């Protein structure tokens, strides 16, 4: 039975990854063309402000409000089990799960307000003087709230494994965002460039909410319902189930440090670089991370779903304390080994074939004004340094998020504090002391990804050891010697 469930989940995970890759390929293809236009229409200073500072504001609001709840509820089971997933009909979420899923929009409003006000307070007056700057910040914060309003419906679709809804929502939202931004800047001129980016983000948030609402028209709630349970004659009333709430809080606190590390390069570049250098870093990041968005992100998210659902039984969740369902654990080990093997092959391809053709490719892709910036030097580091570490870190952290207990999350949070200090030290040495500037940020970002991947790799080894799977070899994750030759 366990092997059948694992096989079914494997098929669904592959389907999820394929759908998400198709979403990324189509949406990024359209937005790539539109962003090429935006990069040519907007100055590097404006492009850097929108793509670094505004995107950092938006991602901070979303990450702090929803990331911990998302990861915690991936481990929750619907009332109807897998029947809904096989039939395509929506299942019923337990009221405790539904209430927890309402936390992101409830948290999002104060987080968005405080983040926007703090950002405006810390922004230099020279940046504040850009046309429509304050209005653009307000629109970005409001757009984040719109996305968070759809989060309970996103969680519902995620637990039902109905990823087609997300494909429609994010695909249409990303395309609409780029179209609105290009249209506004073409019609309004370069003075409206910041407003164009902001209105595009607003269109993204509204489109996301509308698509999810159309998929679940009767499920949009804004306030949790009181739950009454009777156990052994004792009546208990609550809004948030304590175990799920504590797990969500633990994962949210963990995600705070992860966010600082993940977006550390953007924090640093916004503080130490001019707006023009931020523009160069932004366009290099947009182009360089296309592989990460199209390929790595879908694999990471689908593998996180697979690992969480494969180990969702009570016995598997307690696996750190003893031997549990060996069939599910073997299936997870095989999946993780294959994913790491894929990462190794992809790294070899990137390092071998991309660098010789990169100079010619950059002359075609980069707008002429960016060829004189640090963008070419930054992009040269992506195939050889940053993308390989992104691949391994994404795979290993997906496993970590799916298997870690509360005590492990606390240990990981402590590690992230140390990693944050180490990364800050690396940034100071590379950027300030050695004067590597924006290229130093890429090296520092790769360093922090390596540290996180190393800790997650240790946890993977330790988790399988605790589950008495010592007979499986990690050499399965390495290609044969002939591949290295």
């Amino acid at each position: 039975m366990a092997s059948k469930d694992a096989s079914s989940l494997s098929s669904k995970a592959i389907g999820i990854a394929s759908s998400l890759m198709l979403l990324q390929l189509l949406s990024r293809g359209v937005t790539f063309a539109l962003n090429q236009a935006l990069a040519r229409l907007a100055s590097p200073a404006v492009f850097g402000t929108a793509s670094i500072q505004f995107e950092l504001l938006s991602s901070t609001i979303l990450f702090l409000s929803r990331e911990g709840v998302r990861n915690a509820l991936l481990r929750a089971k619907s009332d109807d089990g897998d029947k809904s997933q096989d039939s395509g009909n929506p299942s019923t979420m337990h009221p405790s799960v539904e209430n927890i899923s309402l936390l992101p929009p409830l948290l999002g409003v104060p987080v968005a307000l405080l983040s926007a006000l703090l950002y405006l307070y810390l922004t230099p007056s020279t940046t504040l003087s850009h046309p429509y700057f304050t209005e653009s910040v307000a629109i970005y914060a409001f757009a984040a709230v719109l996305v968070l309003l759809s989060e309970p419906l996103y969680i519902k679709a995620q637990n039902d494994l109905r990823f087609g809804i997300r494909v429609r929502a994010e695909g249409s939202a990303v395309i609409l965002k780029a179209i609105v931004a290009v249209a506004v800047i073409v019609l309004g001129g370069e003075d409206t460039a910041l407003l164009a980016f902001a209105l595009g983000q607003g269109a993204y948030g509204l489109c996301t909410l509308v698509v999810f609402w159309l998929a679940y028209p009767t499920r949009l709630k804004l306030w949790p319902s009181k739950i009454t349970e009777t156990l052994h004659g004792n009546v208990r009333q609550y809004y948030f189930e304590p175990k799920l709430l504590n797990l969500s809080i633990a994962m949210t606190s963990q995600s705070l440090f992860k966010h600082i590390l993940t977006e550390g390069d953007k924090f640093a570049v916004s503080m130490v670089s001019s707006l023009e250098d931020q523009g160069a870093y932004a366009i290099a990041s947009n182009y360089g991370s296309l592989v990460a968005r199209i390929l790595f992100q879908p694999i990471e998210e689908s593998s996180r779903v697979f690992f969480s659902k494969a180990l969702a039984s009570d016995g598997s969740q307690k696996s750190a304390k003893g031997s549990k369902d060996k069939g599910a654990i073997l299936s997870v080990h095989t999946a993780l080994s294959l994913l790491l093997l894929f990462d190794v092959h992809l790294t070899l391809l990137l390092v071998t074939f991309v660098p010789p053709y990169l100079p010619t490719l950059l002359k075609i892709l980069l707008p002429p004004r960016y060829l004189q910036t640090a963008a070419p030097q930054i992009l040269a580091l992506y195939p050889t340094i940053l993308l390989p570490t992104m691949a391994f870190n994404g795979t290993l952290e997906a496993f970590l998020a799916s298997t870690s207990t509360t005590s492990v999350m606390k240990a990981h949070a402590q590690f992230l504090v140390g990693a944050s200090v180490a990364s800050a030290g690396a940034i100071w040495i590379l950027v300030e002391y050695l004067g590597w500037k924006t290229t130093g940020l890429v090296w520092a970002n790769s360093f922090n990804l390596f540290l996180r991947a190393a800790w997650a790799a240790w946890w993977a080894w330790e988790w399988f050891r605790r589950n008495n799977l010592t007979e499986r070899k990690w050499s399965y994750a390495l290609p044969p010697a002939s591949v290295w030759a």
Side-chain angles (χ1 to χ4, degrees):
M1 185 67 181
S3 61
K4 284 186 177 180
D5 291 341
S7 176
S8 175
L9 278 170
S10 298
S11 301
K12 288 171 183 173
I14 293 171
I16 290 166
S18 302
S19 298
L20 292 178
M21 284 181 192
L22 180 61
L23 160 67
Q24 294 291 342
L25 187 61
L26 293 177
S27 62
R28 296 301 168 184
V30 174
T31 54
F32 177 79
L34 294 171
N35 281 332
Q36 282 281 81
L38 282 174
R40 285 164 168 78
L41 292 170
S43 67
V46 169
F47 195 81
T49 301
S51 298
I52 296 291
Q53 299 191 20
F54 287 176
E55 288 294 334
L56 182 58
L57 172 66
S58 178
S59 66
T60 298
I61 295 169
L62 295 175
F63 211 90
L64 294 180
S65 302
R66 75 186 184 187
E67 194 68 15
V69 173
R70 271 190 180 185
N71 290 334
L73 293 187
L74 262 181
R75 304 187 184 190
K77 300 183 76 175
S78 65
D79 283 357
D80 295 333
D82 287 338
K83 288 185 286 187
S84 64
Q85 299 157 10
D86 295 333
S87 65
N89 298 320
S91 63
T92 302
M93 284 200 301
H94 190 276
S96 62
V97 175
E98 190 170 43
N99 281 359
I100 293 288
S101 74
L102 294 172
L103 284 177
L106 293 176
L107 291 172
V109 174
V111 169
L113 180 61
L114 291 174
S115 299
L117 291 175
L118 181 63
Y119 172 61
L120 289 172
Y121 176 76
L122 296 175
T123 301
S125 56
T126 52
T127 305
L128 285 170
S129 63
H130 282 130
Y132 303 106
F133 184 88
T134 304
E135 295 87 343
S136 299
V137 171
I139 294 172
Y140 262 86
F142 180 68
V145 172
L146 289 177
V147 173
L148 290 171
L149 286 174
S150 68
E151 187 64 16
L153 305 181
Y154 170 94
I155 291 171
K156 170 68 176 167
Q158 187 95 337
N159 277 280
D160 290 346
L161 298 184
R162 297 180 64 194
F163 280 81
I165 301 172
R166 179 183 173 183
V167 170
R168 294 195 299 272
E170 292 192 4
S172 55
V174 167
I175 293 171
L176 183 62
K177 170 185 175 179
I179 291 174
V180 169
V182 170
V184 172
I185 197 171
V186 167
L187 295 175
E190 191 170 343
D191 284 346
T192 63
L194 283 181
L195 185 62
F197 281 100
L199 290 174
Q201 189 69 19
Y204 175 93
L206 182 61
C207 183
T208 300
L209 176 59
V210 168
V211 173
F212 274 105
W213 176 74
L214 291 174
Y216 293 107
T218 63
R219 302 305 298 267
L220 186 60
K221 292 174 59 178
L222 298 178
W223 195 256
S225 304
K226 183 176 288 188
I227 301 170
T228 302
E229 285 186 352
T230 303
L231 184 64
H232 304 306
N234 297 318
V235 178
R236 182 175 67 141
Q237 290 186 326
Y238 60 89
Y239 284 99
F240 302 110
E241 199 276 321
K243 185 177 178 181
L244 264 181
L245 181 61
N246 290 335
L247 183 61
S248 299
I249 292 172
M251 287 193 158
T252 297
S253 62
Q254 182 189 41
S255 68
L256 173 62
F257 296 107
K258 182 179 176 181
H259 178 64
I260 293 173
L261 283 172
T262 302
E263 302 290 0
D265 58 330
K266 290 184 180 178
F267 282 111
V269 76
S270 64
M271 290 188 291
V272 303
S273 301
S274 66
L275 290 178
E276 286 74 15
D277 284 342
Q278 291 180 43
Y281 191 87
I283 197 166
S285 178
N286 284 346
Y287 290 161
S289 59
L290 275 176
V291 174
R293 294 190 190 114
I294 293 173
L295 194 59
F296 299 162
Q297 184 180 347
I299 291 175
E300 178 184 348
E301 294 185 7
S302 58
S303 60
R304 186 184 297 149
V305 172
F306 171 74
F307 294 146
S308 296
K309 296 299 181 183
L311 302 171
S313 68
D314 291 338
S316 296
Q317 286 298 335
K318 299 173 184 175
S319 57
K321 297 181 180 179
S323 178
K324 304 302 174 186
D325 184 352
K326 197 163 186 177
I329 295 171
L330 283 170
S331 175
V332 167
H333 185 281
T334 301
L336 181 59
S337 299
L338 289 174
L339 286 169
L340 292 173
L341 179 63
F342 172 80
D343 292 338
V344 172
H345 278 97
L346 185 64
T347 297
L348 293 174
L349 288 172
L350 288 171
V351 171
T352 303
F353 293 106
V354 175
Y357 300 99
L358 192 60
T360 302
L361 194 61
L362 293 182
K363 291 179 182 178
I364 299 172
L365 294 179
L366 284 178
R369 68 173 92 180
Y370 286 92
L371 290 172
Q372 308 305 317
T373 67
Q377 290 78 25
I378 296 170
L379 280 168
L381 296 173
Y382 266 79
T384 55
I385 303 298
L386 191 56
L387 288 178
T389 51
M390 278 185 178
F392 287 102
N393 179 70
T395 298
L396 291 164
E397 285 201 338
F399 179 82
L400 171 66
S402 304
T403 57
S404 56
T405 60
T406 303
S407 60
V408 173
M409 282 186 281
K410 289 180 180 178
H412 187 231
Q414 293 171 355
F415 162 78
L416 290 178
V417 173
S420 299
V421 175
S423 296
I427 289 173
W428 182 85
I429 292 172
L430 296 171
V431 177
E432 295 293 331
Y433 184 73
L434 296 179
W436 289 8
K437 296 184 179 180
T438 45
T439 55
L441 291 175
V442 178
W443 280 100
N445 193 21
S446 300
F447 174 65
N448 96 61
L449 287 170
F450 171 78
L451 291 178
R452 287 161 52 187
W455 201 95
W458 167 82
W459 168 246
W461 178 86
E462 175 67 12
W463 190 87
F464 287 111
R465 185 190 68 79
R466 294 183 186 183
N467 283 280
N468 301 318
L469 210 65
T470 53
E471 71 272 15
R472 295 303 293 262
K473 297 180 180 178
W474 288 105
S475 57
Y476 299 133
L478 296 174
S482 57
V483 175
W484 299 93

